[in-house]
Amino acid sequence: MVKFSIFFSGLAQGLQHNAPTSGKVTSEAWGQALSTALGNLYTYTRARPPSRTLVDPLSVFIQSFVTSKNNYAESVAAAVKMAEATRDLDPKAGRSAYVESDRLKKEKIPDPGAWGVKTILENLAA
Protein backbone atom coordinates (compact mmCIF):
# COMPACT_ATOMS: atom_id res chain seq x y z
CA MET A 1 0.00 0.00 0.00
CA VAL A 2 2.88 2.35 0.65
CA LYS A 3 4.04 2.04 -2.96
CA PHE A 4 0.57 2.97 -4.20
CA SER A 5 0.64 6.04 -1.95
CA ILE A 6 4.05 7.06 -3.22
CA PHE A 7 2.93 6.58 -6.82
CA PHE A 8 -0.31 8.55 -6.45
CA SER A 9 1.49 11.33 -4.60
CA GLY A 10 3.98 11.50 -7.48
CA LEU A 11 1.09 11.48 -9.95
CA ALA A 12 -0.52 14.47 -8.24
CA GLN A 13 2.80 16.32 -8.30
CA GLY A 14 3.27 15.44 -11.96
CA LEU A 15 -0.21 16.67 -12.84
CA GLN A 16 0.39 19.95 -11.04
CA HIS A 17 3.70 20.43 -12.80
CA ASN A 18 2.58 19.32 -16.29
CA ALA A 19 -0.97 20.70 -16.40
CA PRO A 20 -1.55 23.36 -19.05
CA THR A 21 -2.32 26.87 -17.86
CA SER A 22 -5.86 26.46 -19.20
CA GLY A 23 -6.53 24.15 -16.26
CA LYS A 24 -7.70 21.29 -18.49
CA VAL A 25 -5.43 18.27 -18.17
CA THR A 26 -4.64 16.84 -21.59
CA SER A 27 -3.78 13.24 -22.35
CA GLU A 28 -0.20 14.35 -22.98
CA ALA A 29 -0.06 15.91 -19.51
CA TRP A 30 -1.37 12.62 -18.10
CA GLY A 31 1.42 10.74 -19.87
CA GLN A 32 4.05 13.10 -18.50
CA ALA A 33 2.56 12.93 -15.01
CA LEU A 34 2.47 9.12 -15.10
CA SER A 35 6.14 9.04 -16.11
CA THR A 36 6.97 11.48 -13.31
CA ALA A 37 5.08 9.33 -10.79
CA LEU A 38 6.91 6.17 -11.87
CA GLY A 39 10.24 7.96 -11.55
CA ASN A 40 9.20 9.12 -8.10
CA LEU A 41 8.32 5.56 -7.13
CA TYR A 42 11.70 4.33 -8.37
CA THR A 43 13.45 6.59 -5.87
CA TYR A 44 11.80 4.61 -3.04
CA THR A 45 12.00 1.03 -4.30
CA ARG A 46 14.63 -1.22 -5.79
CA ALA A 47 11.96 -2.99 -7.85
CA ARG A 48 12.48 -2.71 -11.60
CA PRO A 49 10.83 -4.81 -14.29
CA PRO A 50 10.82 -7.76 -14.25
CA SER A 51 10.70 -8.06 -10.48
CA ARG A 52 7.33 -9.74 -9.80
CA THR A 53 5.93 -6.62 -8.15
CA LEU A 54 3.34 -3.94 -8.87
CA VAL A 55 6.06 -2.14 -10.84
CA ASP A 56 5.80 -4.69 -13.66
CA PRO A 57 2.26 -3.90 -14.94
CA LEU A 58 2.51 -0.26 -13.86
CA SER A 59 5.64 0.40 -15.92
CA VAL A 60 4.20 -1.48 -18.92
CA PHE A 61 1.00 0.56 -18.68
CA ILE A 62 2.88 3.87 -18.54
CA GLN A 63 5.28 2.99 -21.34
CA SER A 64 2.38 1.87 -23.54
CA PHE A 65 0.29 4.93 -22.67
CA VAL A 66 3.09 7.29 -23.68
CA THR A 67 4.18 5.41 -26.82
CA SER A 68 0.64 4.63 -28.04
CA LYS A 69 -0.25 8.31 -28.01
CA ASN A 70 -2.33 7.84 -24.87
CA ASN A 71 -4.44 4.85 -25.93
CA TYR A 72 -5.86 3.86 -22.55
CA ALA A 73 -7.51 0.59 -23.62
CA GLU A 74 -4.36 -0.65 -25.34
CA SER A 75 -2.27 0.31 -22.32
CA VAL A 76 -4.60 -1.46 -19.88
CA ALA A 77 -4.47 -4.59 -22.03
CA ALA A 78 -0.66 -4.51 -21.88
CA ALA A 79 -0.76 -4.08 -18.08
CA VAL A 80 -3.24 -6.95 -17.68
CA LYS A 81 -1.00 -9.21 -19.74
CA MET A 82 1.99 -8.25 -17.59
CA ALA A 83 0.10 -8.75 -14.32
CA GLU A 84 -0.84 -12.24 -15.47
CA ALA A 85 2.77 -12.89 -16.53
CA THR A 86 3.97 -12.28 -12.95
CA ARG A 87 2.82 -15.87 -12.32
CA ASP A 88 5.96 -17.02 -14.10
CA LEU A 89 8.49 -14.42 -12.93
CA ASP A 90 11.14 -14.96 -10.30
CA PRO A 91 10.57 -12.64 -7.35
CA LYS A 92 13.34 -10.06 -7.02
CA ALA A 93 11.66 -7.57 -4.68
CA GLY A 94 8.47 -7.03 -2.72
CA ARG A 95 6.48 -9.51 -0.67
CA SER A 96 6.94 -12.35 -3.14
CA ALA A 97 10.69 -12.32 -2.54
CA TYR A 98 9.98 -13.84 0.89
CA VAL A 99 8.08 -16.84 -0.51
CA GLU A 100 9.56 -19.91 -2.18
CA SER A 101 9.93 -19.11 -5.87
CA ASP A 102 9.25 -22.72 -6.89
CA ARG A 103 6.00 -22.74 -4.94
CA LEU A 104 4.80 -19.53 -6.55
CA LYS A 105 5.52 -20.86 -10.03
CA LYS A 106 4.02 -24.28 -9.31
CA GLU A 107 0.78 -22.79 -8.01
CA LYS A 108 0.72 -20.07 -10.72
CA ILE A 109 0.05 -17.33 -8.19
CA PRO A 110 0.26 -13.81 -9.62
CA ASP A 111 1.88 -11.07 -7.60
CA PRO A 112 -0.77 -9.42 -5.37
CA GLY A 113 0.51 -5.88 -6.00
CA ALA A 114 0.58 -6.47 -9.76
CA TRP A 115 -2.95 -7.82 -9.55
CA GLY A 116 -4.00 -4.71 -7.63
CA VAL A 117 -2.61 -2.45 -10.37
CA LYS A 118 -4.44 -4.53 -12.98
CA THR A 119 -7.71 -4.22 -11.07
CA ILE A 120 -7.38 -0.47 -10.57
CA LEU A 121 -6.57 0.17 -14.23
CA GLU A 122 -9.40 -2.04 -15.50
CA ASN A 123 -11.92 -0.33 -13.27
CA LEU A 124 -10.80 3.22 -14.06
CA ALA A 125 -11.83 2.48 -17.65
CA ALA A 126 -15.31 1.32 -16.65
Side-chain angles (χ1 to χ4, degrees), residues 81-99:
K81 186 176 178 182
M82 187 68 242
E84 291 171 352
T86 62
R87 297 170 195 249
D88 299 315
L89 292 177
D90 287 324
K92 296 178 184 165
R95 295 175 295 248
S96 295
Y98 299 104
V99 180

Side-chain angles (χ1 to χ4, degrees), residues 41-124:
L41 180 60
Y42 282 161
T43 63
Y44 294 98
T45 181
R46 63 185 174 94
R48 300 290 186 279
S51 60
R52 197 179 203 286
T53 66
L54 66 88
V55 167
D56 297 313
L58 188 59
S59 63
V60 166
F61 169 79
I62 293 168
Q63 181 180 14
S64 175
F65 189 78
V66 171
T67 60
S68 70
K69 298 198 181 342
N70 311 317
N71 184 324
Y72 188 80
E74 181 181 315
S75 302
V76 170
V80 167
K81 186 176 178 182
M82 187 68 242
E84 291 171 352
T86 62
R87 297 170 195 249
D88 299 315
L89 292 177
D90 287 324
K92 296 178 184 165
R95 295 175 295 248
S96 295
Y98 299 104
V99 180
E100 270 184 60
S101 178
D102 293 340
R103 180 176 177 202
L104 294 171
K105 285 184 179 179
K106 179 182 175 190
E107 296 183 21
K108 296 287 187 190
I109 300 168
D111 179 74
W115 209 255
V117 168
K118 168 199 163 304
T119 303
I120 289 169
L121 293 172
E122 286 176 322
N123 286 286
L124 285 175

